[in-house]
Amino acid sequence: MTNLKKQKVTEEEAPQGISKLPDQLLLQILSLLPTKDAFRTCLVSPTWRRLPTLIDSFNFTCSTDREREDFSFIQNALAHSLSSKIIKFKLDLTDLSLSDCSFRPEYETLISGCFSFAVEREVENVLLWSQYSYGCTLPESLCTCSSLITLDVKHCGFNNAVISWNSLKSIKLGHLMLTDVEMVKLLAGCPALETMELYSYTGFHRLEINSLKLKTLKLKDYVRSDGNGDDLEILAPYIQHLEISGEDLKCRLVDASSVVNAKLIYSFTCIKGIPSTYVEDCCRDYRQVVYTLVQDNLQKLCYATDLTIGTWFTQVMCTLQFKGLPISELNCKYLTLMLHMTTFNMYGVAGLLRVSPHVETISIELEYTLLDDFPMYNFCCNSELLDLAKEDNMDLLSGVSSVEFHNLKKVKVVISSDACWKDHVKRGFEKVTKLSEYMLLNAPVLENFVIIISKRRSKYEQLESNSVLGTNAFSSARS
């Protein structure tokens, strides 16, 4: 085998070697950096100093206590730009303090100037995150940008602007208020829209989507206003991918007949939390609304092949079963349950499995949350469950031996490692064990059963670690 000699590259030679790369490749690399860092990088080599004027993707983030310096840099960078086409323009202003009210005009001028520049150069992708206390209005030029393909906006309003985004395919809006009329105008102005995501939103109570192109809808953290009429109705007959999450949300699916992938992890608080002389009567009526809502929504999603359900649904499912209320059979093949470690209802989970006879793969993700420390903040209507049966004395396996999951082949249970350090979640582990036994006993064609202890690395990602237990670990349950 030939020995390869390592070549020693001096600091003087390194820039020269990199500079031999094509300009287009260098510009792509620079476009991945924050724009200020890209400009600094170009000082490394004299031949690079012309590159900043050719950058076609801008990424600006303004820092607290450096507003004027950052604003000046942005204006200078745009003034010297020679690019005739802008691929992406990002302006993140969320970190600004803006304690000086006199700075507000400069703030608004910056936003207007940035996007006038971007629109003139036919920008395709825009991210504009305004400072929360200085929420802005979208510049008029941006509202009629025909070249726009993706839009991500936070803390910005429309202020009755005319919307004309004929090429827009993806929109993400956060921390905003839109009336029903404004929502209709928004959708009408986006004829090519394929994906819509809203978070921390309020105002409208009906979302009607009749576009054949819009296939993905994500709704997160609907902010309820005071008074009645806080239900959110969704009429979207052509949506295929639906995700609804948040707390204190009464969401009614009027038409979701084309949905193949659905994620429902929302909940809402029992009316018992509201002081009232007639609280018992109100709570009874409120519970009936809840039962009807869950029944209707599951029926609307009965043809979805991939379904994700949260803890709250398992609690309501338990009550529906005890009351003998009808539950539509689900046709899902892939079922994911996102549950709180101790507060999920075991009997409700079993009921959900029983109405899912076609399921082939089940994933159960058990997280430890603050709700596990304070179970009294659960769905308050669980008090009704206690009158029907005590869960601690409930034998999950009794009377269900005849129920079999003839298609179930794979089961994965992921448990948050945070739960392992909490003594008071012992009951949660007992429920997981009993639930695992229940599935093993009733899945004659089961091929793989895995339990994973998950270690959370950050808020958004997890690292599977510590243990992986195969089906043989539970072989005694089958005998």
Side-chain angles (χ1 to χ4, degrees), residues 267-366:
S267 63
F268 53 90
T269 308
C270 178
I271 200 170
K272 277 188 175 181
I274 304 174
S276 172
T277 307
Y278 308 101
V279 67
E280 289 302 324
D281 291 337
C282 292
C283 188
R284 183 169 54 251
D285 295 339
Y286 192 82
R287 286 198 300 264
Q288 189 56 52
V289 171
V290 172
Y291 304 149
T292 302
L293 195 62
V294 171
Q295 286 175 290
D296 289 348
N297 286 351
L298 288 178
Q299 192 278 326
K300 295 294 191 304
L301 297 173
C302 66
Y303 294 109
T305 57
D306 192 336
L307 192 59
T308 299
I309 296 293
T311 293
W312 180 79
F313 269 82
T314 69
Q315 298 168 349
V316 179
M317 282 289 293
C318 180
T319 307
L320 294 178
Q321 291 178 93
F322 275 116
K323 286 180 157 297
L325 297 174
I327 304 169
S328 298
E329 183 177 289
L330 303 175
N331 288 282
C332 65
K333 293 183 178 181
Y334 308 96
L335 179 62
T336 299
L337 302 176
M338 301 183 68
L339 309 175
H340 298 152
M341 186 64 191
T342 61
T343 58
F344 80 90
N345 189 283
M346 187 169 56
Y347 197 80
V349 171
L352 190 60
L353 297 180
R354 285 200 289 271
V355 297
S356 307
H358 306 288
V359 68
E360 298 176 2
T361 300
I362 295 176
S363 297
I364 301 177
E365 301 179 14
L366 291 145

Side-chain angles (χ1 to χ4, degrees), residues 321 346-356 362 364 395-405 408 411 430-444 446 449 474 477-478:
Q321 291 178 93
M346 187 169 56
Y347 197 80
V349 171
L352 190 60
L353 297 180
R354 285 200 289 271
V355 297
S356 307
I362 295 176
I364 301 177
D395 184 357
L396 178 65
L397 303 180
S398 65
V400 297
S401 58
S402 60
V403 178
E404 291 190 346
F405 309 116
L408 183 58
V411 176
E430 292 175 352
K431 291 197 294 183
V432 172
T433 301
K434 183 168 285 190
L435 183 60
S436 299
E437 183 181 356
Y438 169 70
M439 288 187 288
L440 286 165
L441 284 171
N442 294 280
L446 188 67
F449 192 110
F474 292 93
R478 290 185 176 275

